[in-house]
Amino acid sequence: MFDVVIAGAGPNGLMLACELALAGIRPLVLEKLTGPTTEQRANGLVGQVVRMLDRRGLYERLTGTPDPPVPVPRFMFGAFPLPLHDLPDNPLYTLMVPQSRIEAMLAERAAELGVEVRRGHEVLGVTQNGTSVTIEVAGRAPIEASYLVGADGGRSRVRGFAGIGFPGVTTDDTVSRTGHVSVPADLVDPHGALHVPGFGVLPPFQHTRTERGLITWAPFPGGRPALVSVAERAEAGDAEMTVGELRAAAARVLGADLPIAAPTGAGPHLLRRTAGGNTRLADRYRAGRVLLVGDAAHVHSAIGGPGLNLGLQDAINLGWKLAAEVRGHAPDGLLDTYESERRPVGERVNMHTRAQSVLVGPGGEITALRQLFGELLESPQTRRHIAALMAGADITYDMGTATGPHVGRWAPDVPGLAALTRTGRPLLLDPTGRLDAGSWADRVDVARTEGTGTALLLRPDCYVAWEGTSADGLEEALSRWFGKP
């Protein structure tokens, strides 16, 4: 019998597998596809997960440089430019890499950690009792595990087999068309902006909204074809999507012809039409011995790119808790905190993506709303609030009786922290030189940091469970999160 089976070898499933392996658990990953997908999906990472990957030693694998991440000077929210350069504590980080590359990196890391991934294994049924889960696999013998995690996407079969509801809203008033294209070189300036005759400038990697719809121009680096996405109120149609259809949609939104053509170079090339959208949240993240992460637990608009930030941090939150449960030293209720901590974060992402979808909608009444919202964005305090919302940096967890300005929040940067958190173990950062992990020394690392400030106890997901200048309350926090000594 396996300790943990993960259904789905996408980024969230692989990230969870890596976290479990760091904690001494060897999960089995089942994936129905026989090889990595060639479908174009996310185009990068937005939010706190960028820094979290750095704290696991994975950021450098994606960038190829040892330099740590730095916040972006600007972003966007609801097709508004969001200047961030003047914020002294800008919390928003991005990393523009395609999802396929993120998956490949995580698959490589999982293999290094001894994780077994079985491709061509489709889950057809799930039953459970008080001690185990049995997974029916197409054409193969059933697999038994102590726990099953569904990381199998928005149409999760695991979620359905576990009887977990997926309430939410479906909209059908817009059609989105997206594709790789080529454009005349003389229309693109040195900064990557696209100059459209008869309309004006489409800034790179920004949503441009008109009263007829939304358009995005994304000239990705490295010679990749540009990506144009158009959303409008129009009929979806059922004919095969073409570049000509995308061009006609862009013309309707812009009121001018955008001279796009089929892309050059090697494929695969994206050409996709999507009618409407879904915003849904699982009514629970756990049913007995079955849990959900990522899109299996929540789906929402891709506007602002929050999906991988949300899903990967689900996996990082769940990994150490599930490992502690399997190893038998989890305190009572620890595994339940996965849902109590992460489901509200899913609600918050659903909220701000729905709000953005309204702000980018067509119509004069939306234009009036945007005028008011644009005035609010002139305040640095408002922009800081929205940047933290987009990054997920405004999240605070309940840490019981522990108090202090950092308790419940993600750990602030201290010198050398990224190197200290690569093991995925709990960590006591002690600048006083007087503290230790006591009877929890087998589970909690201690690092003597510089300075004379406050000591911090970090959970493996880098959230602060305790802080202080003496040992008062430390044992209580150690017991609450890491079990009996």
Side-chain angles (χ1 to χ4, degrees):
M1 184 170 77
F2 291 92
D3 290 325
V4 178
V5 169
I6 301 169
N12 301 317
L14 291 171
M15 188 78 227
L16 175 61
C18 291
E19 291 294 295
L20 288 167
L22 285 174
I25 304 298
R26 292 294 180 267
L28 171 65
V29 181
L30 304 178
E31 170 56 56
K32 70 177 182 179
L33 299 178
T34 57
T37 180
T38 58
E39 181 183 350
Q40 180 75 27
R41 295 183 177 176
N43 296 296
L45 298 167
V46 177
Q48 196 162 275
V49 72
V50 175
R51 301 170 73 195
M52 190 66 224
L53 290 181
D54 187 47
R55 292 184 180 183
R56 286 293 188 265
L58 302 176
Y59 178 80
E60 184 176 345
R61 294 183 180 221
L62 292 172
T63 63
T65 70
D67 299 329
V70 295
V72 291
R74 67 188 65 85
F75 200 62
M76 55 190 173
F77 184 87
F80 283 95
L82 191 66
L84 304 171
H85 64 279
D86 58 341
L87 302 181
D89 56 347
N90 178 8
L92 193 57
Y93 293 70
T94 66
L95 178 60
M96 300 304 291
V97 292
Q99 181 170 325
S100 58
R101 189 165 153 204
I102 297 169
E103 286 188 19
M105 180 275 291
L106 290 172
E108 179 183 78
R109 178 57 174 157
E112 293 171 1
L113 294 170
V115 174
E116 181 183 0
V117 178
R118 296 182 184 176
R119 292 192 170 273
H121 283 58
E122 182 179 4
V123 175
L124 294 183
V126 175
T127 56
Q128 61 174 310
N129 54 40
T131 59
S132 67
V133 183
T134 300
I135 303 112
E136 302 292 335
V137 182
R140 305 174 191 274
I143 297 172
E144 190 175 11
S146 295
Y147 290 91
L148 169 65
V149 180
D152 51 341
R155 296 183 175 88
S156 171
R157 286 188 168 184
V158 171
R159 184 184 63 234
F161 293 140
I164 297 174
F166 204 41
V169 295
T170 297
T171 59
D172 58 2
D173 58 347
T174 61
V175 177
S176 176
R177 297 173 175 87
T178 304
H180 287 119
V181 298
S182 62
V183 298
D186 60 349
L187 298 184
V188 182
D189 69 24
H191 303 291
L194 179 62
H195 295 254
V196 182
F199 173 78
V201 178
L202 292 179
F205 305 107
Q206 298 258 347
H207 297 308
T208 299
R209 182 255 179 198
T210 74
E211 291 198 357
R212 297 171 296 276
L214 184 76
I215 189 166
T216 305
W217 158 250
F220 288 103
R224 294 185 60 220
L227 182 74
V228 169
S229 180
V230 180
E232 58 172 344
R233 286 180 179 165
E235 294 295 325
D238 54 10
E240 184 176 350
M241 173 75 172
T242 66
V243 173
E245 178 183 334
L246 179 61
R247 182 171 181 170
R252 288 192 295 271
V253 170
L254 296 174
D257 181 48
L258 174 59
I260 58 177
T264 59
H269 299 305
L270 174 65
L271 198 58
R272 181 173 62 208
R273 179 199 305 117
T274 305
N278 285 292
T279 301
R280 299 188 176 276
L281 184 68
D283 56 22
R284 50 191 169 139
Y285 280 21
R286 178 187 180 189
R289 292 180 171 269
V290 178
L291 300 105
L292 305 176
V293 296
D295 289 355
H298 38 68
V299 295
H300 46 77
S301 168
I303 191 167
L308 284 176
N309 187 37
L310 181 59
L312 290 172
Q313 292 203 77
D314 285 349
I316 293 164
N317 185 287
L318 176 60
W320 66 277
K321 297 174 181 178
L322 186 54
E325 191 75 24
V326 169
R327 298 178 68 182
H329 59 68
D332 292 342
L334 178 67
L335 195 53
D336 290 331
T337 66
Y338 167 60
E339 178 178 319
S340 65
E341 291 182 349
R342 294 305 298 170
R343 193 173 183 279
V345 184
E347 290 178 330
R348 195 154 176 77
V349 170
N350 281 1
M351 175 274 290
H352 79 66
T353 54
R354 291 186 71 185
Q356 290 187 78
S357 296
V358 171
L359 284 169
V360 302
E365 69 280 11
I366 302 301
T367 300
L369 176 64
R370 290 179 62 83
Q371 182 177 352
L372 173 60
F373 196 83
E375 293 175 5
L376 297 176
L377 286 179
E378 294 175 4
S379 164
Q381 183 176 354
T382 302
R383 285 184 277 116
R384 174 61 174 76
H385 181 93
I386 290 178
L389 172 69
M390 297 290 287
D394 58 347
I395 302 303
T396 302
Y397 296 145
D398 178 9
M399 296 293 172
T401 61
T403 60
H406 295 108
V407 169
R409 304 193 68 84
W410 206 59
D413 285 324
V414 299
L417 182 59
L420 294 170
T421 52
R422 293 189 176 191
T423 63
R425 286 170 56 85
L427 178 64
L428 177 61
L429 297 172
D430 177 29
T432 72
R434 301 188 301 270
L435 302 176
D436 60 56
S439 300
W440 289 266
D442 61 326
R443 299 175 210 164
V444 179
D445 293 337
V446 178
R448 306 298 180 192
T449 55
E450 298 177 0
T452 58
T454 303
L456 301 176
L457 176 65
L458 309 188
R459 306 187 321 183
D461 57 358
C462 288
Y463 278 80
V464 178
W466 170 90
E467 67 177 290
T469 56
S470 69
D472 291 346
L474 177 57
E475 287 197 358
E476 181 180 355
L478 288 165
S479 181
R480 173 181 171 86
W481 294 107
F482 311 123
K484 295 180 180 180

